Amino acid sequence: MPLDLDAAMGDRMALAVVAQYRLVTTKQLHGVIAPWVRIEQTRRRLVKLREEGLVRSVTLPRAGRHRAWFATRYGVQVASEWPELRDFAPPRLIADASAARLRVAHALAMTGVGVAFQQDARARGDVCRPLDWIPEVHHPLGGGEAVIPDALLFYQEGNGAMLRAFVEVDRATMGPERLAAKLGTYSRLHSYVSAPPPGRSRPVDSFRTEPDWRRRYPLFPRLLFVLDATGPAGIDNRIHALHAAAKALEAGFLLHDVPVLAAPMTDLLQHGPSAPVWRPVQDPAQRVGWTSRRRQRTTVGHPAHDRSEPGTWPAQT
């Protein structure tokens, strides 16, 4: 019997997405890998992967018989060997159904945001592939500390421009002050230069002064906060805390070099990530799209990039 290569590639992509996203519903997976066919095909694919011991599922609370899927130890082992998942750390294993059930709210909110970016990209003629949404990418800060964004997003606009974003999905499980403190952590990552290993020194002429993030990215990724699980007053409180933290960091380069935006989850899902639902943390009265580029202010004698003042955002309609 000849091998159905299309089916095998579809199974491979489904397992890769389940392993990388950690938790995903049938509907979410279908929207990522095959929205142009009937959802029954995705259901059959998941059943096949379950029978092969590659994935498991947990029934969602208060959602009838809807399920969230996660990769088994064997599934993670298989997927981690593929080139498309090799550039980043192996997906973190979810031990069992109980562990999946306790993580399901935040994990599925994250997956929902990733799906929204991909659907929006397809509608706009941009490119955001299923594996361009990568949860929990580790960025060391030294001394055992690290920045681990909820997700790293890769995105290509129709004109060929490449965008990257660190995405933080906040479900109001921590206070506004702790949320805003993440700005300081990202500011540290923006300037962090690792020291040479103990017992080794660099020659003076090769001493590296560029921050570590440049090993991975040509530009520091945008920073997007998606705010969920709270009402309008809670959203405003959290954005106010981010704004206050931004004012405290104005002496650093992060907020001059990197767009930092916040948006309510409900607005993002209703209108799409490219809509003007994002509030710049330095000027939360404005509403911009996440791909907007800030106009840099210029001064006489300094026409290029004046870091003494942040730029302004284009008006949105």
Side-chain angles (χ1 to χ4, degrees):
M1 184 176 182
L3 178 64
D4 186 342
L5 294 179
D6 288 341
M9 289 303 296
D11 293 347
R12 177 181 174 127
M13 178 56 72
L15 176 59
V17 170
V18 173
Q20 182 162 290
Y21 286 32
R22 312 298 196 255
L23 277 164
V24 57
T25 66
T26 305
K27 183 177 179 181
Q28 287 174 335
L29 180 65
H30 182 69
V32 169
I33 67 170
W36 52 86
V37 302
R38 292 172 61 85
I39 196 171
E40 284 74 14
Q41 181 171 320
T42 300
R43 292 194 179 103
R44 289 194 297 269
R45 176 160 281 136
L46 284 166
V47 169
K48 180 181 179 183
L49 294 175
R50 182 179 62 190
E51 291 172 348
E52 294 173 341
L54 296 164
V55 302
R56 290 185 61 190
S57 66
V58 59
T59 302
L60 298 178
R62 299 187 301 278
R65 296 181 60 82
H66 294 292
R67 294 179 176 275
W69 298 84
F70 60 97
T72 63
R73 184 180 300 276
Y74 175 48
V76 169
Q77 177 184 346
V78 169
S80 296
E81 295 173 353
W82 297 337
E84 56 264 43
L85 299 183
R86 196 175 292 158
D87 290 340
F88 296 90
R92 184 183 299 174
L93 179 69
I94 295 179
D96 52 32
S98 295
R101 179 178 59 82
L102 295 173
R103 292 188 60 181
V104 73
H106 185 262
L108 292 185
M110 280 179 51
T111 299
V113 174
V115 173
F117 274 101
Q118 291 170 48
Q119 291 176 336
D120 199 47
R122 283 196 293 268
R124 292 168 55 85
D126 297 340
V127 178
C128 185
R129 299 179 179 87
L131 298 181
D132 287 339
W133 177 262
I134 310 171
E136 300 176 358
V137 179
H138 190 273
H139 297 78
L141 278 178
E145 295 185 80
V147 175
I148 307 176
D150 284 334
L152 168 64
L153 171 70
F154 289 92
Y155 191 100
Q156 184 177 15
E157 294 184 289
N159 60 9
M162 292 296 304
L163 300 176
R164 302 154 199 85
F166 293 135
V167 183
E168 293 284 350
V169 179
D170 173 65
R171 302 197 72 254
T173 54
M174 63 178 69
E177 184 175 354
R178 288 183 59 196
L179 170 68
K182 292 187 176 184
L183 272 183
T185 305
Y186 278 100
S187 181
R188 290 173 57 198
L189 177 64
H190 186 259
S191 60
Y192 174 68
V193 178
S194 58
R200 296 179 58 186
S201 61
R202 296 190 187 95
V204 174
D205 60 355
S206 67
F207 184 78
R208 187 173 58 83
T209 58
E210 286 194 334
D212 283 26
W213 61 263
R214 288 194 179 276
R215 299 178 186 178
R216 293 185 175 185
Y217 316 111
L219 296 173
F220 196 87
R222 294 159 184 253
L223 179 53
L224 307 179
F225 289 91
V226 181
L227 309 177
D228 191 24
T230 185
I235 296 290
D236 288 342
N237 286 339
R238 303 180 93 70
I239 291 178
H240 177 76
L242 288 167
H243 176 62
K247 290 183 67 176
L249 287 172
E250 282 183 353
F253 289 156
L254 173 71
L255 293 169
H256 294 270
D257 295 345
V258 181
V260 182
L261 311 171
M265 171 83 84
T266 53
D267 291 350
L268 183 149
L269 296 181
Q270 180 179 354
H271 303 290
S274 61
V277 298
W278 300 89
R279 306 184 199 180
V281 298
Q282 289 174 291
D283 188 3
Q286 292 201 57
R287 302 292 187 274
V288 301
W290 82 274
T291 61
S292 297
R293 287 156 174 85
R294 191 168 51 189
R295 299 193 187 103
Q296 295 298 334
R297 297 188 183 186
T298 58
T299 57
V300 176
H302 298 81
H305 183 57
D306 178 18
R307 288 187 172 182
S308 65
E309 294 186 74
T312 59
W313 293 90
Q316 300 287 318
T317 57

